[in-house]
Amino acid sequence: MDPLSGFIGSLIWWILFFYLLMGPQIQYRQLQIARAKLLERLARKRNSTVITMIHRQESIGFFGIPVYKFISIEDSEEILRAIRMAPKDKPIDLIIHTPGGLVLAATQIAKALKDHPAETRVIVPHYAMSGGTLIALAADKIIMDPHAVLGPVDPQLGQYPAPSIIRAVEQKGAEKVDDQTLILADVAKKAINQVQEFVYNLLKDKYGEEKARELAQILTEGRWTHDYPITVEHAKELGLHVETDVPEEVYALMELYKQPVKQRGTVEFMPYPVKQQGKD
């Protein structure tokens, strides 16, 4: 092999290695830039500070390992910082896509959003369950896609819903359960009361004290399973003020959050072929 061929072979190998190593990072950086441009456009259009909390499964890295996300303390720190920096006389649009997460983090975000002097709007393009719903309740407006859903905010203790723990003890009788279960039931009661009172305080200014109490009880009492989908229609039946005019930019933004790379997608579609004028 002549020296030139050896050099070219080595160069090709290093280029390939660099691409495999840095390619995902470059792609992620391009996604970040595209997101920033879209958020800026949306902020100008709505004359607001736009904040996002989008928990979508991503695969960024050399091996494309999926990363699962939920509402965390890091989220609350970032969002509280964004709310503090937002102009006090300008609205805030908070775009939420989340399965839920830590109650502590969700309550911090909700309280900060409620205390913002100007109008606050939570936009839900797909779902905002559990802690996501808690945050949505703090906003002046909840804007949902017609097929998006919210969820109950009953506390969860480990793998069990707090209301179910209490009911299990009531049905069996306190004298027939062990001390650990009794302690768990006591914590469950406190957790429900705490979340219920917090939801009431979020809602009483917008809905009045009586309706706020009613909604707080319905959403925390364990009437449904924790993953029960509260649709737009159901939310309105409950008395929540919900709108459905989600900006088109929000849907475009969701397209910029990568899902894990798969050999074959589980969903595919072909847009309806629209004929151009003057062509067959």
Side-chain angles (χ1 to χ4, degrees):
M1 181 183 294
D2 62 89
L4 180 60
S5 298
F7 172 77
I8 293 174
S10 298
L11 181 61
I12 292 174
W13 189 91
W14 278 109
I15 291 173
L16 180 60
F17 178 77
F18 178 82
Y19 176 77
L20 290 174
L21 183 65
M22 299 302 298
Q25 300 301 324
I26 294 172
Q27 291 175 5
Y28 186 54
R29 179 56 181 162
Q30 290 173 338
L31 278 174
Q32 287 181 311
I33 293 172
R35 291 173 189 172
K37 289 181 178 178
L38 194 52
L39 288 172
E40 183 180 4
R41 192 169 84 200
L42 183 60
R44 291 183 182 277
K45 177 180 177 180
R46 295 178 66 81
N47 190 31
S48 67
T49 296
V50 180
I51 307 169
T52 66
M53 186 176 68
I54 299 177
H55 293 141
R56 205 162 182 180
Q57 181 178 309
E58 296 194 11
S59 58
I60 301 299
F62 183 74
F63 296 106
I65 299 174
V67 178
Y68 299 90
K69 298 180 179 180
F70 55 88
I71 302 173
S72 65
I73 292 298
E74 288 75 18
D75 288 326
S76 65
E77 289 177 354
E78 293 293 331
I79 293 178
L80 263 59
R81 185 179 299 113
I83 292 175
R84 283 197 301 270
M85 293 174 63
K88 305 304 180 187
D89 60 340
K90 297 293 183 182
I92 288 177
D93 283 303
L94 175 56
I95 303 168
I96 296 182
H97 176 84
T98 182
L102 296 178
V103 174
L104 172 60
T107 54
Q108 285 183 294
I109 296 169
K111 182 67 165 59
L113 195 65
K114 184 179 187 301
D115 290 345
H116 183 68
E119 184 179 55
T120 56
R121 305 176 289 239
V122 162
I123 302 173
V124 184
H126 187 62
Y127 76 154
M129 305 297 286
S130 189
T133 297
L134 193 66
I135 296 169
L137 295 174
D140 296 314
K141 286 185 179 179
I142 302 175
I143 305 173
M144 299 170 63
D145 177 85
H147 300 104
V149 295
L150 304 175
V153 295
D154 52 311
Q156 307 294 291
L157 300 183
Q159 60 180 320
Y160 300 116
S164 296
I165 296 171
I166 295 170
R167 286 171 191 160
V169 172
E170 290 174 348
Q171 290 176 4
K172 197 169 185 178
E175 69 283 354
K176 295 182 180 180
V177 298
D178 56 46
D179 290 348
Q180 185 175 359
T181 305
L182 288 175
I183 292 171
L184 196 60
D186 179 63
V187 175
K189 287 181 182 178
K190 292 174 182 175
I192 293 172
N193 290 337
Q194 288 166 191
V195 175
Q196 197 170 100
E197 191 66 20
F198 185 74
V199 172
Y200 163 74
N201 286 320
L202 289 179
L203 298 178
K204 64 181 181 179
D205 294 339
K206 298 189 290 282
Y207 293 89
E209 294 193 5
E210 184 177 349
K211 186 62 178 178
R213 285 287 182 199
E214 177 190 339
L215 286 168
Q217 180 175 349
I218 289 172
L219 293 171
T220 61
E221 67 184 0
R223 177 176 299 194
W224 311 288
T225 59
H226 192 60
D227 62 351
Y228 176 78
I230 299 176
T231 63
V232 170
E233 293 80 10
H234 194 177
K236 290 180 178 179
E237 289 173 4
L238 292 174
L240 290 171
H241 304 156
V242 176
E243 300 177 5
T244 55
D245 53 336
V246 175
E248 287 299 321
E249 289 85 354
V250 173
Y251 297 118
L253 181 68
M254 294 300 295
E255 294 292 328
L256 296 177
Y257 283 81
K258 289 176 65 67
Q259 295 284 47
V261 177
K262 299 183 283 278
Q263 290 185 350
R264 182 185 65 83
T266 56
V267 177
E268 297 177 349
F269 76 99
M270 177 64 67
Y272 184 80
V274 179
K275 292 183 179 180
Q276 295 184 11
Q277 189 174 7
K279 294 185 178 180
D280 294 332

